[in-house]
Amino acid sequence: MPIRAVDLIRKKRDGHELSRTEIDTFVGDFTSGKIPDYQASAWLMAALIRGLSRAETAALTDAMLHSGEILDLSEFVQCKVDKHSTGGVGDKTSLVLAPLAAAAGLVVPMISGRGLGHTGGTLDKLESIPGFKVNLPLPDFLRILRVCGCCMIGQTAEIAPADRKLYALRDVTGTVESPYLICASIMSKKLAEGIDGLVLDVKTGSGAFMKKEEDAVFLAELMVETGERMGKKVVALITDMDQPLGRYVGNSLEVIETLQILRNEGPADLRELSLELAAWMFVLGDVTSTVDEGKHKAERLIKSGQALEKFRHMVELQGADARVIDDPTLLPRSQHTMEVPASGAGWIASIACESVGTACVILGGGREKKEDSVDPSVGLVLHKKVGDSVKAGESLCTIHYNSESRAARAREMILQSYQLSDQPPLSRRTLVHRIIDHLQKGGS
Ligand code: URA
């Protein structure tokens, strides 16, 4: 008897466990187009509400991984290491890390995603660089890895095609925030890369999919376990997303901030997290034996300009106009800007981070429907972050926009997302909350 999609939906809806064969059928039939979007959406919603067992999560990850090819990178003698974030606002660390790790001698075959919900996507950021190609055929991907050590692309038709389709659907059907679906999505594409090690940046806080730390830890454990089951070295860092990372949110704006970090400038939080994640990539890739050594090495590679030169090389090889590296004014720029003044004086007590991400989506920097294209030029530059003092009328943020009505909506959201207090905050939240390192690789 053929397995029918409606029966898989009902079974999950009623809280029963699907067999490996049933999950294989769902993934295979959806990828080939036999199961339409509306049935897949219904199944995803049932899975989000009911959850998946460990066996179902493993079966889903495997089915998505085997929906395409697994890269054979055995020709590279160097360690192949990647990092992946569960998604945040203003998180451009991937753009810093790929060239930084390649400058340290690692091979970084990075396959990334687009913006999801209120969070930004690495591919959308890269595509804001005029000419940058993220849809490269695999032979080109391999050629660039050989020449440059890093290459950043999207899922090709060959790599985890099931995730590519499911990811786009989840983005617009409210089915992102399931640890099981996130685990299968991230791990299927990362395991397809043929890597030896993976650093996971699992975000927690108001701008993360996992708002509560215990949920982020649960997801991190699930992914570390999945990676280890496949024989990979995996660590997860639980990191803060209670306010945007850095000051720039929006595609071309985030490329500008990436360039600042690679020039040894830019905001302290983005720099600190980039160094920490790079250090873990170095440890997993046997470049350094401790995280502290790794951070020093990362700093040296930035100060010497080697990481920036790697970025330039990768940008050129991926077909883009590398003049943007020295002249970021060549990146897309919005037609207008508008300041958002503070309504009173005090200290910034909190920023509703998801609302900042949503404000960027409203401006056109992300997608509200699957078919939407993103406007690379729009976004936000935050002048005030948690703990900063502010005078009445001082600008909290500059909105970069192309549509007056969208800017008005974004302005309202930004104003509401800033909470002021008449006292300075007692302590600052740390950036790295916890490290899940079963391998005990971190050292001292
Ligand atoms: N990033 C991914 O690649 N997939 C998800 O499901 C969430 C974040």
Side-chain angles (χ1 to χ4, degrees):
M1 275 268 284
I3 298 173
R4 299 186 320 151
V6 67
D7 295 327
L8 301 179
I9 297 167
R10 282 204 185 107
K11 196 167 175 183
K12 196 72 261 177
R13 180 200 66 192
D14 296 340
H16 301 298
E17 187 177 52
L18 268 62
S19 68
R20 190 167 266 269
T21 313
E22 287 170 325
I23 287 183
D24 280 346
T25 304
F26 171 74
V27 171
D29 286 357
F30 174 63
T31 312
S32 69
K34 239 160 94 190
I35 294 183
D37 280 2
Y38 57 85
Q39 283 186 311
S41 305
W43 187 86
L44 288 167
M45 186 57 84
L48 177 124
I49 292 169
R50 289 293 190 176
L52 300 181
S53 68
R54 290 293 156 112
E56 285 177 311
T57 308
L60 184 64
T61 310
D62 290 349
M64 286 165 66
L65 167 65
H66 293 289
S67 67
E69 270 179 42
I70 300 178
L71 290 184
D72 177 7
L73 299 185
S74 55
E75 66 174 274
F76 294 96
V77 290
Q78 308 94 312
C79 277
K80 280 82 65 183
V81 180
D82 195 8
K83 92 94 210 190
H84 195 82
S85 149
T86 54
V89 180
D91 179 9
K92 63 284 286 174
T93 56
S94 288
L95 274 67
V96 175
L97 291 167
L100 184 51
L106 293 169
V107 170
V108 188
M110 199 179 269
I111 295 170
S112 302
R114 298 201 173 270
L116 196 60
H118 67 280
T119 68
T122 299
L123 299 180
D124 297 326
K125 294 170 202 184
L126 288 168
E127 276 183 344
S128 74
I129 306 175
F132 198 102
K133 292 189 189 60
V134 297
N135 295 319
L136 293 177
L138 283 181
D140 290 356
F141 182 56
L142 291 173
R143 180 180 54 79
I144 294 173
L145 282 180
R146 282 183 206 115
V147 186
C148 174
C150 59
C151 187
M152 301 174 81
I153 59 166
Q155 278 144 292
T156 63
E158 298 99 327
I159 293 165
D163 179 55
R164 186 158 68 153
K165 282 191 81 180
L166 285 168
Y167 190 96
L169 205 53
R170 286 169 58 223
D171 187 19
V172 290
T173 55
T175 51
V176 173
E177 298 92 336
S178 154
Y180 312 101
L181 299 179
I182 295 177
C183 172
S185 163
I186 292 179
M187 297 310 286
S188 63
K189 57 181 170 272
K190 295 287 126 177
L191 295 170
E193 289 173 351
I195 44 175
D196 306 304
L198 177 64
V199 178
L200 292 163
D201 181 3
V202 182
K203 303 285 188 196
T204 183
S206 64
F209 292 123
M210 303 292 133
K211 309 274 183 243
K212 291 197 245 140
E213 181 147 341
E214 69 256 35
D215 294 341
V217 171
F218 180 82
L219 169 62
E221 292 279 3
L222 205 59
M223 290 196 288
V224 170
E225 207 179 285
T226 304
E228 286 173 352
R229 184 169 55 82
M230 306 294 279
K232 310 292 175 194
K233 294 194 261 186
V234 187
V235 296
L237 278 68
I238 310 290
T239 73
D240 195 67
M241 194 29 77
D242 233 12
Q243 62 174 333
L245 188 63
R247 295 190 177 271
Y248 290 40
V249 180
N251 297 302
S252 65
L253 290 169
E254 295 195 37
V255 173
I256 295 175
E257 204 169 45
T258 299
L259 291 170
Q260 292 172 0
I261 295 294
L262 291 173
R263 290 189 188 291
N264 201 30
E265 298 157 10
D269 60 346
L270 176 60
R271 178 186 159 79
E272 183 190 331
L273 187 60
S274 301
L275 294 179
E276 178 86 27
L277 292 167
W280 278 97
M281 291 174 81
F282 297 170
V283 168
L284 292 196
D286 295 327
V287 170
T288 62
S289 49
T290 68
V291 173
D292 277 349
E293 259 179 65
K295 282 193 213 167
H296 288 125
K297 184 167 183 84
E299 263 183 317
R300 286 197 300 276
L301 290 167
I302 289 176
K303 283 192 182 144
S304 67
Q306 285 164 278
L308 183 68
E309 285 317 303
K310 262 299 169 209
F311 190 63
R312 184 194 305 276
H313 198 190
M314 180 183 78
V315 164
E316 271 166 5
L317 290 167
Q318 294 199 230
D321 182 354
R323 288 178 307 159
V324 301
I325 309 282
D326 302 313
D327 183 4
T329 63
L330 295 171
L331 287 163
R333 283 203 286 182
S334 67
Q335 286 166 23
H336 313 284
T337 59
M338 166 201 290
E339 301 305 320
V340 182
S343 51
W347 281 265
I348 309 298
S350 66
I351 301 175
C353 186
E354 179 168 339
S355 303
V356 176
T358 304
C360 184
V361 173
I362 288 171
L363 290 170
R367 293 173 190 78
E368 293 187 89
K369 293 190 302 307
K370 217 171 80 171
E371 305 70 28
D372 288 350
S373 55
V374 299
D375 181 341
S377 67
V378 297
L380 308 156
V381 176
L382 308 183
H383 305 301
K384 296 292 172 184
K385 298 216 20 196
V386 175
D388 290 347
S389 64
V390 61
K391 299 191 194 92
E394 208 181 344
S395 180
L396 296 170
C397 156
T398 305
I399 299 180
H400 292 240
Y401 68 98
N402 290 320
S403 144
E404 294 289 344
S405 60
R406 286 171 182 246
R409 283 169 66 203
R411 182 178 185 277
E412 227 17 70
M413 291 204 80
I414 296 293
L415 271 174
Q416 281 172 17
S417 67
Y418 272 89
Q419 292 299 315
L420 265 61
S421 149
D422 51 11
Q423 315 263 338
L426 291 177
S427 62
R428 282 189 186 249
R429 272 170 77 103
T430 52
L431 212 46
V432 179
H433 294 199
R434 229 192 270 203
I435 292 166
I436 295 167
D437 171 22
H438 292 173
L439 306 162
Q440 302 285 306
K441 291 286 265 175
S444 55

